Amino acid sequence: MRQLLNWIEHAINFIIALCVSGMTILIFTNVILRYVFHSGITWAEEMSRFMFIWMVFLGSILVLKDESHIGMEILVRRVPEKIRRFLLMIGNIIILFISLVVLIGSWKMTLASIGGKAPATGLPLTLMYGIGIIMSVGMLLIAAMNLFKLWNPNNNKGDLSRKDF
């Protein structure tokens, strides 16, 4: 299981790196073409937007996995262990709820966009909205695993900071 999760993490990192590289190349090339040759790549802006959306949504999965989202560490670290565990559970329940809302909305938008094409690239619009499904499923799984670790009475670590989960 650990090996599969590591493979998924490496795949997400690779896709993000491709998106950053692709965006950089497209935007730089388009700027040069516009200002030097007075022409441009008509689909570069749209493709860069697609890559940016994918990069942000996939990156949010990795950030949640690494517990790097903005948090209230100063508060969480100063309360007793039982309250700390409770606060972390509440935070993960909120993440579960919001991820479920995003999943439902992304599913509806993906279904509504079937057959639609992006104007400049001609790519299916389901690529734009489908990433929300991937992100929300990933975040749902991570938050559920975090809740299981918090709920498990055998998880008696001395310091229950967010980084422990």
Side-chain angles (χ1 to χ4, degrees):
M1 183 66 164
R2 174 62 56 197
Q3 189 175 12
L4 175 65
L5 294 176
N6 285 338
W7 183 87
I8 291 171
E9 182 179 358
H10 289 306
I12 290 173
N13 279 322
F14 181 74
I15 293 169
I16 290 171
L18 281 178
C19 288
V20 170
S21 302
M23 284 172 47
T24 303
I25 291 167
L26 279 174
I27 292 170
F28 179 75
T29 303
N30 215 24
V31 167
I32 297 298
L33 287 173
R34 282 189 183 170
Y35 289 106
V36 175
F37 299 105
H38 303 291
S39 69
I41 305 170
T42 56
W43 50 267
E45 180 186 349
E46 188 173 280
M47 194 67 201
S48 296
R49 189 176 329 123
F50 271 51
M51 285 189 252
F52 182 73
I53 291 168
W54 272 74
M55 179 182 67
V56 169
F57 277 49
L58 290 175
S60 65
I61 296 171
L62 296 179
V63 169
L64 180 62
K65 181 202 140 301
D66 292 339
E67 291 291 340
S68 299
H69 280 115
I70 296 173
M72 301 282 292
E73 289 295 317
I74 194 164
L75 171 68
V76 174
R77 288 194 181 274
R78 292 180 187 239
V79 296
E81 182 179 326
K82 287 185 180 185
I83 296 173
R84 187 176 313 152
R85 189 179 292 268
F86 176 75
L87 290 173
L88 292 171
M89 288 174 120
I90 294 296
N92 279 289
I93 289 169
I94 291 170
I95 290 170
L96 278 173
F97 175 74
I98 292 172
S99 296
L100 188 60
V101 170
V102 171
L103 176 63
I104 293 167
S106 295
W107 180 257
K108 288 179 181 179
M109 287 301 296
T110 302
L111 290 178
S113 68
I114 289 177
K117 302 276 186 202
T121 60
L123 290 171
L125 287 176
T126 53
L127 286 175
M128 177 80 83
Y129 300 113
I131 186 61
I133 296 170
I134 295 168
M135 180 210 66
S136 55
V137 167
M139 292 180 88
L140 279 166
L141 292 173
I142 292 168
M145 288 188 315
N146 287 346
L147 275 172
F148 177 76
K149 289 177 187 176
L150 285 163
W151 193 262
N152 186 359
N154 296 329
N155 191 10
N156 291 327
K157 296 182 179 180
D159 179 30
L160 280 176
S161 69
R162 292 174 1 142
K163 299 288 183 195
D164 290 333
F165 299 100

